[in-house]
Amino acid sequence: MGEPFDISYVFEYLVKLLPTLKVTLLIVVSSIVIGLGVGFIVALPQLYKIPILRRISQVYLSFFRGTPILIQLFLFYYGLPEVLKLVNVDVAKLPALYFVILTYALHSGAYLSEMIRAAVGAVDRGQVEAAYSVGMTGFQAFTRIVLPQAMAIAIPVFSNLVIANLKDTSLAFSLGIMELTGKSQTLAVMSRHFVETYISLAIIYFVISFGLEKLFHLIENKLLRHERRLSSEDKEPRLRKGKEKPFRIAAKLGFGRGGTENEA
């Protein structure tokens, strides 16, 4: 059993945990950036239905989406050096942080590729054909027409993936990485104030997750502002038309705007 609860330790441990936040954020940012590149490469065979590469990408997706990330961490940290030794490449002395970032990047890439595929597929194909008809190249049509709309569609999913990645970094301590969770484990064992330590840890994760959620919500609103403007412009003519219709009906029945019958 631990020591009696003392709320002063919550504030003390908040301060002690903050220096390790940079390690957690490094893992998140690095894995998401690399994962976006991996996800885009994996999504291309799915979008363009390239036979052999499509099968390879499906195997990749099935593995990283169908196995726990903790197992993936162990496989890459302990298994990858052994495989590379077969081709005379020694990576056993590399810091564990490199293996953690690689694992999280490949894990995130599997989900990001599905996000990219779904977002691009959701854009109306007729807009791309219209872009071709006015002389745009395939690259111009993608960057000017498809990409902005796909980004707006993908933001909610991307937000969830980033926050999930942030929370999943709590497993990195299993390889000895001194990030937030790893540091909290050390503090809890040394002081035996387990509850206070985990409350402090939960507060930090919650604040960061809440901040990211609000940030992505602002980005989503900014990307979708043109659609809301067009939607409001479409509603105004309909509203005016709806207001004028009763007066036209009244005129046909012989009533004026005052509600009395018009004299012949």
Side-chain angles (χ1 to χ4, degrees):
M1 297 294 292
E3 297 292 332
F5 182 81
D6 186 351
I7 194 170
S8 64
Y9 280 93
V10 174
F11 302 103
E12 179 183 343
Y13 290 161
L14 277 173
V15 177
K16 290 184 177 181
L17 287 173
L18 284 178
T20 58
L21 178 60
K22 60 183 180 181
V23 179
T24 297
L25 294 179
L26 174 63
I27 297 173
V28 174
V29 174
S30 301
S31 61
I32 291 296
V33 171
I34 298 172
L36 279 171
V38 173
F40 185 77
I41 294 173
V42 174
L44 288 177
Q46 302 285 335
L47 290 170
Y48 292 99
K49 296 179 174 59
I50 304 173
I52 299 177
L53 294 180
R54 188 181 181 186
R55 289 295 182 185
I56 295 174
S57 66
Q58 287 174 345
V59 172
Y60 164 80
L61 293 173
S62 298
F63 174 77
F64 282 98
R65 296 177 66 187
T67 56
I69 191 170
L70 183 62
I71 303 301
Q72 296 168 19
L73 283 169
F74 291 151
L75 286 175
F76 276 87
Y77 183 66
Y78 296 109
L80 185 60
E82 297 299 324
V83 173
L84 292 179
K85 281 181 181 179
L86 299 177
V87 291
N88 297 322
V89 177
D90 187 12
V91 295
K93 296 182 180 180
L94 286 177
L97 183 61
Y98 288 94
F99 294 97
V100 169
I101 292 175
L102 175 63
T103 305
Y104 279 97
L106 294 176
H107 179 82
S108 301
Y111 291 91
L112 290 169
S113 68
E114 290 295 283
M115 178 198 74
I116 294 169
R117 183 185 63 81
V120 172
V123 178
D124 185 9
R125 181 65 184 175
Q127 298 184 41
V128 180
E129 294 174 355
Y132 291 152
S133 68
V134 297
M136 285 190 183
T137 63
F139 180 77
Q140 289 174 329
F142 180 79
T143 55
R144 298 181 184 181
I145 306 297
V146 177
L147 186 59
Q149 297 182 72
M151 287 176 61
I153 295 170
I155 281 295
V157 179
F158 183 71
S159 172
N160 290 335
L161 290 176
V162 172
I163 294 173
N165 192 290
L166 170 67
K167 292 183 289 186
D168 285 343
T169 56
S170 60
L171 297 174
F173 83 95
S174 60
L175 297 185
I177 302 299
M178 196 56 66
E179 41 76 59
L180 282 172
T181 306
K183 181 66 174 179
S184 68
Q185 291 284 341
T186 303
L187 291 174
V189 171
M190 291 177 62
S191 65
R192 300 190 63 79
H193 285 277
F194 297 97
V195 177
E196 296 90 329
T197 305
Y198 295 131
I199 290 176
S200 302
L201 185 63
I203 291 173
I204 294 175
Y205 276 117
F206 174 77
V207 170
I208 298 173
S209 299
F210 184 78
L212 288 173
E213 183 181 353
K214 292 299 180 183
L215 174 62
F216 284 118
H217 185 66
L218 291 174
I219 296 173
E220 181 185 2
N221 288 337
K222 187 174 182 179
L223 290 174
L224 293 176
R225 67 185 185 279
H226 64 284
E227 292 189 7
R228 292 194 175 94
R229 185 171 62 249
L230 292 175
S231 177
S232 62
E233 290 174 356
D234 289 341
K235 288 179 180 179
E236 287 180 1
R238 295 178 185 176
L239 185 60
R240 289 196 296 268
K241 184 177 179 181
K243 289 181 178 179
E244 293 172 358
K245 188 175 181 181
F247 296 118
R248 291 200 301 270
I249 295 173
K252 290 180 180 179
L253 294 175
F255 292 92
R257 291 178 181 267
T260 59
E261 186 176 358
N262 293 331
E263 296 181 358

